[in-house]
């Protein structure tokens, strides 16, 4: 996670530098920058001339922003940068007296509430959380989505169903069979039995599909996109649940594949042939493919190797005029 501390006074700058040292001593996987005003010359920080210009430029660069300053300044400086709750980074506020850490923006999907509790425990601060579902001990729909590492269908329905939860009304959660929680429900559909005239509902798309793709040299992006669309439709799967695309290392510079992944806003994971060779005998191979690139199969082994390897194949190998696509479905887990 990439975090930024922002300060506009000498005292706050020194506090931010101190907090960065404490956090890096206790937490792993956090990349932390501290911004201070150049006129205060706070050592071991990023010294800037213009606070407003820098926050405008870098607001989307970080997963979370921690401001050590008055709340009024933070609100005024970030108001024009705020987009939607599913895209905005976490915004936290710490008072210069080192008493409180406040979750100000993107409490659930942006992770501000969770980060607030983390900082409070590490830096000996009092956490301040104001989201209704959290303070009443109830769970919001966007929190469920986050725990599943999934994507909300839309924000409005999530908000409407969360309102039911907060107001103490009963809400059922229908999950696929391979989710490790109580209850068994089919992922392909459900029957709703109720005497209610109006029922609020929302949908979450789990990010648990890996697309393994092999293709001939100079295959066009539009052909790859068309093949992906057809393969997903054939298996009644939604592109919103695709986590990433995987391919073999000899295709790492294949323009059509790169452009297709970029068009879908998906990561393209490159799997080495050495890794493929270790498992390729699990799959039906091709002498032609082996002669050309040194391994007997591509789409199936790269899909498996790019996954958690806890799940199963939905599509082993679909063929589309020089393109092969395999779909691996990871088992869903609740992330704490």
């Amino acid at each position: 996670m990439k975090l930024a501390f922002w300060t506009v006074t000498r005292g706050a700058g020194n506090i931010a530098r101190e907090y960065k040292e404490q956090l890096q001593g206790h937490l792993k996987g956090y990349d932390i920058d501290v911004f201070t005003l150049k006129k205060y010359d706070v050592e071991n920080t990023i010294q800037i001339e213009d606070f407003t210009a820098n926050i405008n430029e870098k607001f989307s660069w970080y997963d979370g922003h921690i401001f050590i300053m008055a709340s009024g300044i933070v609100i005024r400086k970030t108001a024009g940068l705020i987009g939607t709750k599913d895209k905005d980074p976490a915004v936290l506020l710490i008072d210069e007296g080192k008493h409180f850490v406040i979750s100000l923006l993107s409490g659930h999907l942006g992770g501000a509430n969770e980060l607030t509790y983390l900082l409070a425990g590490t830096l000996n601060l009092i956490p301040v959380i104001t989201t209704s579902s959290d303070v009443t001990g109830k769970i919001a729909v966007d929190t469920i989505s986050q725990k599943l590492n999934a994507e909300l269908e839309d924000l409005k329905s999530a908000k409407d169903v969360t309102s039911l939860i907060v107001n103490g009304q009963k809400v059922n959660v229908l999950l696929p069979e391979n989710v490790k929680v109580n209850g068994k429900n089919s992922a392909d559909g459900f029957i709703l039995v109720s005497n209610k005239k109006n029922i609020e509902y929302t949908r979450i798309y789990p990010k648990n599909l890996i697309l393994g793709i092999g293709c001939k040299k100079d295959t066009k992006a539009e052909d790859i996109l068309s093949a992906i669309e057809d393969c997903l439709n054939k298996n009644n799967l939604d592109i919103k649940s695709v986590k990433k695309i995987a391919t073999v290392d000899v295709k790492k510079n294949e323009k059509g594949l790169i452009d297709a992944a970029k068009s879908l806003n998906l990561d393209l994971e490159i799997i080495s042939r050495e890794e493929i060779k270790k498992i390729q005998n699990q799959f039906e191979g091709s002498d032609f493919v082996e002669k050309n690139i040194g391994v007997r199969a591509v789409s199936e082994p790269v899909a498996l190797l790019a996954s958690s390897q806890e799940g199963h194949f939905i599509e082993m190998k679909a063929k589309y005029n020089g393109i092969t696509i395999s779909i691996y479905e990871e088992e869903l887990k609740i992330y704490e």
Side-chain angles (χ1 to χ4, degrees), residues 238-336:
D238 198 292
I239 189 66
K240 293 186 181 71
S241 283
V242 176
K243 186 177 182 180
K244 57 186 166 183
I245 295 173
T247 194
V248 64
D249 54 12
V250 294
K251 296 295 178 182
K252 65 181 180 181
N253 295 318
E254 191 69 46
K255 187 176 186 304
L257 197 50
I258 293 170
D259 289 347
K262 190 177 296 184
S263 174
L264 296 171
N265 197 28
L266 293 171
D267 290 335
L268 179 61
E269 183 167 333
I270 305 301
I271 305 297
S272 73
R273 281 164 289 178
E274 292 304 312
E275 289 300 308
I276 292 174
K277 287 177 182 178
K278 296 175 184 178
I279 66 166
Q280 66 179 358
N281 291 335
Q282 299 179 31
F283 308 102
E284 180 183 348
S286 163
D287 293 337
F288 176 79
V289 173
E290 185 173 28
K291 181 180 177 180
N292 279 273
I293 66 172
V295 292
R296 296 187 57 78
V298 172
S299 64
E300 294 156 306
V302 298
L304 179 62
L305 290 167
S307 74
S308 64
Q309 300 187 35
E310 297 179 7
H312 66 283
F313 278 96
I314 294 178
E315 178 71 68
M316 291 299 291
K317 186 189 292 183
K319 298 180 180 180
Y320 298 89
N321 190 27
I323 302 167
T324 57
I325 299 179
S326 299
I327 305 175
Y328 189 87
E329 181 183 35
E330 292 179 328
E331 184 177 80
L332 281 177
K333 294 181 179 180
I334 302 291
Y335 292 86
E336 297 297 339

Side-chain angles (χ1 to χ4, degrees), residues 135-189:
V135 299
T136 57
K138 297 168 182 174
I139 191 166
V141 171
D142 44 5
T143 300
I144 296 173
S145 172
Q146 185 184 49
K147 297 292 185 184
L148 286 169
N149 192 25
E151 178 180 334
L152 292 170
E153 182 177 39
D154 66 273
L155 295 175
K156 183 183 183 303
S157 64
K159 178 182 176 181
D160 292 341
V161 174
T162 297
S163 294
L164 299 179
I165 297 171
V166 170
N167 289 328
Q169 296 169 260
K170 185 175 181 180
V171 174
N172 290 329
V173 181
L174 307 177
L175 295 168
E177 290 182 358
N178 61 348
V179 178
K180 292 184 176 180
V181 294
N182 292 331
K184 293 184 176 181
N185 299 290
S186 169
D188 297 320

Side-chain angles (χ1 to χ4, degrees), residues 64-85:
H65 298 274
I66 305 148
F67 295 86
I68 306 180
M69 61 187 69
S71 60
I73 299 174
V74 179
I75 292 169
R76 293 182 188 282
K77 295 298 182 182
T78 61
L81 306 174
I82 297 170
T84 58
K85 64 187 295 185

Side-chain angles (χ1 to χ4, degrees), residues 1 22 46 56 71-72 83 89 113-114 132 139 160 183 189 198 200 209 211 213 218 231 243 254 269 303 317 323 330:
M1 176 175 278
Q22 290 184 48
I46 300 173
N56 287 345
S71 60
N113 289 358
E114 186 175 350
S132 181
I139 191 166
D160 292 341
N198 298 308
E200 297 288 355
L209 301 179
L211 302 185
I213 299 182
D218 296 328
C231 193
K243 186 177 182 180
E254 191 69 46
E269 183 167 333
K317 186 189 292 183
I323 302 167
E330 292 179 328

